[in-house]
Amino acid sequence: MSKKGLVLVLSGFSGVGKGTVVKELLSRHSNYALSISVTTRSPREGEEHGREYFFITEEEFAALEKEGKLMEWAGYVGHHYGTPRDYVMSHIEAGRDVILEIEIQGAMQVKERYPEAVLVFVVPPSAAVLKERLSGRGSETEAVIEERMKRAVEEAKGMEEYEYLLVNDDLDTCVSQLHEIMCSEHRKAARNQELIRSIRKDLTQFVEGD
């Protein structure tokens, strides 16, 4: 099967449990790596350069964007965030599947610039469960929760742009299914042209002789 890694774009509604799914996937399988974004905001207490983010200046960010070295980027609350192409590609060349946990806007940029990426959208079993999970955080007001639910309605309009939908009902099942999706992607004939050529050559030599 293909020895190079793949880009896994994981999106979903706020509160659906994407972060928990990613954390569990990383703990179970050593062939995954989580992409680290670049950002122009300052580090918060306890954050380290190269661990939570790569902290860079606005000028450095603009240069990366101009040179096409960002797979996706967006502005948020006066700062910029993006996925560094070189960092992702270094993991891919090393045979690791790189997870990009990003929103729909960024996912569509990756889809356009790197069509080989595997796009998965995580959904809750129901709207009631989604609201229950948001409320269970205990860190947001009812007004914020309602805003997140309204945003989910808008985000749901883009689900068809993804290749796979994954229902996060049971964590163990969800993580196992996500890993199965990636295993299947690695087995696709289109990703294994070298193996196909090798098999054809071997068959031809066997039938015709050396």
Side-chain angles (χ1 to χ4, degrees), residues 99-190:
I99 306 167
L100 276 60
E101 186 186 336
I102 54 180
E103 297 184 353
I104 292 179
Q105 177 186 354
M108 294 304 100
Q109 290 182 43
V110 174
K111 183 178 181 179
E112 179 180 351
R113 298 168 185 172
Y114 193 80
E116 298 92 342
V118 181
L119 272 64
V120 179
F121 196 91
V122 183
V123 300
S126 69
V129 169
L130 180 62
K131 184 172 183 179
E132 181 181 324
R133 290 177 182 174
L134 286 168
S135 300
R137 290 176 170 179
S139 59
E140 295 167 337
T141 65
E142 190 63 29
V144 171
I145 291 172
E146 289 302 321
E147 282 302 312
R148 293 193 185 280
M149 292 297 295
K150 290 178 181 178
R151 185 176 180 181
V153 172
E154 293 302 312
E155 290 177 328
K157 297 175 183 178
M159 290 190 292
E160 289 89 350
E161 299 295 330
Y162 289 73
E163 297 170 277
Y164 299 94
L165 291 181
L166 196 60
V167 180
N168 186 17
D169 188 0
D170 174 74
L171 178 61
D172 181 68
T173 301
C174 184
V175 173
S176 295
Q177 290 177 343
L178 182 56
H179 182 60
E180 289 169 6
I181 287 172
M182 297 307 292
C183 288
S184 295
E185 286 291 330
H186 275 283
R187 297 187 187 104
K188 282 187 173 181

